[in-house]
Amino acid sequence: MVRIVNTCKCCGKDLEGRSDKKFCDPYCKSSYHYQKGITESPRFYNRVDNQLKLNRRLLKNYNKAGKATIRSEQLISEGFNPNFFTHYWKNNKGDVYLFVYEFGFLSKIEHGVKKYILIKWQGYMEK
């Protein structure tokens, strides 16, 4: 019977035990996947998730009272991207608010300046 000797993907040591073993210990497994994650470009869903988290954090920071108005250039300069949102809500006037989880925004132009009206999700919006 021929014995196939596998080596650890991280450190190169000979492996003992199961024939499908890839790493010599949990440290090597963790180290290998960490280094692999650094060298690979971020996956699509990671980029989307990171942008959604940033958008939510910014909307939360600028909307402490439940409703606020801010210049769009201020949010965008901090990394906000209005193309990333989780859902929308249309009010009785026909305005469509885009939401990032529980924080929403509506783009308006007032006196020639583009602004965002920020709101927080309310129970009556579930209809």
Side-chain angles (χ1 to χ4, degrees):
M1 183 158 129
V2 177
R3 183 172 180 258
I4 299 172
V5 177
N6 291 334
T7 58
C8 177
K9 285 184 159 189
C10 182
C11 67
K13 291 181 185 175
D14 288 345
L15 298 175
E16 296 178 10
R18 294 188 347 242
S19 61
D20 62 342
K21 195 172 181 180
K22 296 179 182 177
F23 304 98
C24 58
D25 59 29
Y27 174 81
C28 276
K29 182 177 180 181
S30 177
S31 177
Y32 173 82
H33 288 292
Y34 176 76
Q35 291 300 325
K36 184 178 171 188
I38 289 174
T39 58
E40 289 181 351
S41 63
R43 293 184 218 155
F44 176 74
Y45 65 86
N46 289 93
R47 292 193 316 264
V48 170
D49 189 47
N50 289 339
Q51 185 63 55
L52 286 172
K53 287 177 183 176
L54 175 62
N55 282 359
R56 183 189 178 276
R57 183 174 49 82
L58 290 170
L59 291 174
K60 181 180 178 183
N61 287 343
Y62 284 105
N63 189 6
K64 303 274 186 207
K67 186 172 182 181
T69 304
I70 186 170
R71 290 178 180 239
S72 65
E73 63 191 38
Q74 176 66 37
L75 275 178
I76 291 171
S77 71
E78 294 185 39
F80 182 79
N81 186 336
N83 297 319
F84 288 81
F85 56 93
T86 57
H87 60 287
Y88 66 91
W89 174 71
K90 188 175 184 179
N91 68 8
N92 294 335
K93 296 177 184 175
D95 296 327
V96 178
Y97 286 85
L98 303 178
F99 277 83
V100 182
Y101 304 108
E102 74 272 32
F103 297 100
F105 62 97
L106 172 68
S107 180
K108 286 278 188 181
I109 297 178
E110 294 179 356
H111 308 292
V113 178
K114 186 174 178 183
K115 296 181 179 183
Y116 289 125
I117 298 171
L118 310 180
I119 62 171
K120 192 169 179 184
W121 183 264
Q122 303 294 319
Y124 68 86
M125 297 175 175
E126 293 186 28
K127 296 177 184 177

